[in-house]
Amino acid sequence: MKLLIDTNVILDMVFKRSGCDISMELFRQVKEAGASAYITASSVTDLFYIIRKETHDTSRTYAVMENIFQLVAILSVTDKDIMDAFGQKWKDFEDCVQYMTGKNSRMDYIITGNRKDYADALLPVMTPATWIEMVKDL
């Protein structure tokens, strides 16, 4: 099972925002279920920028990113992903790039805290809590 993890799920953990416990549980369950978690290359740059901006500490940002890389693999964002997203004309282009990268990379699920951002997605979109419940029932 291959999961594309949205940036907001990672940021919940990093900044201990509401939902951080469920995001940490998500990664425990990913490991336990033998699933694979991915983020897009564009998420890497977004995460680095946001974490550095919030912490004002480049060294700490690199350390946090190294921890993230222990949890996820990185999907390349191709020109096809960009053009496919562009053609969809979603309100949030960044989310559409995430979606098209996941779709073109044959992800099974998109895991996000903001399901409404993926209203037009054909892939199953779940919150961390919903995915955890689904896996526990298998």
Side-chain angles (χ1 to χ4, degrees), residues 1-6 9 22-38 71 107-113 115 123-138:
M1 185 178 320
K2 299 188 312 186
L3 312 174
L4 176 59
I5 309 298
D6 198 4
V9 173
I22 199 74
S23 293
M24 288 190 283
E25 178 64 19
L26 168 75
F27 285 102
R28 282 191 285 276
Q29 292 297 323
V30 164
K31 185 174 182 177
E32 196 170 297
S36 299
Y38 298 84
L71 301 172
M107 295 290 108
D108 296 306
Y109 298 94
I110 295 174
I111 308 300
T112 182
R115 289 185 59 211
L123 287 175
V125 179
M126 297 183 164
T127 65
T130 305
W131 186 83
I132 291 166
E133 285 305 311
M134 180 193 78
V135 169
K136 285 182 178 179
D137 291 341
L138 296 180

Side-chain angles (χ1 to χ4, degrees), residues 6-7 42-43 46 91-99 118:
D6 198 4
T7 307
S42 55
S43 285
D46 292 346
K91 188 175 187 178
D92 188 325
F93 183 69
E94 183 239 342
D95 285 336
C96 195
V97 170
Q98 296 265 73
Y99 166 67
Y118 294 89

Side-chain angles (χ1 to χ4, degrees), residues 2-71:
K2 299 188 312 186
L3 312 174
L4 176 59
I5 309 298
D6 198 4
T7 307
N8 60 56
V9 173
I10 304 288
L11 289 173
D12 288 348
M13 284 190 324
V14 170
F15 294 122
K16 296 178 175 41
R17 301 188 308 198
S18 175
C20 115
D21 291 342
I22 199 74
S23 293
M24 288 190 283
E25 178 64 19
L26 168 75
F27 285 102
R28 282 191 285 276
Q29 292 297 323
V30 164
K31 185 174 182 177
E32 196 170 297
S36 299
Y38 298 84
I39 59 175
T40 65
S42 55
S43 285
V44 172
T45 58
D46 292 346
L47 287 164
F48 194 95
Y49 173 80
I50 294 166
I51 295 166
R52 187 172 50 82
K53 182 179 176 190
E54 292 296 315
T55 65
H56 306 286
D57 186 335
T58 302
S59 295
R60 181 171 173 218
T61 301
Y62 275 104
V64 169
M65 294 302 297
E66 286 176 3
N67 288 332
I68 292 168
F69 296 151
Q70 298 299 311
L71 301 172

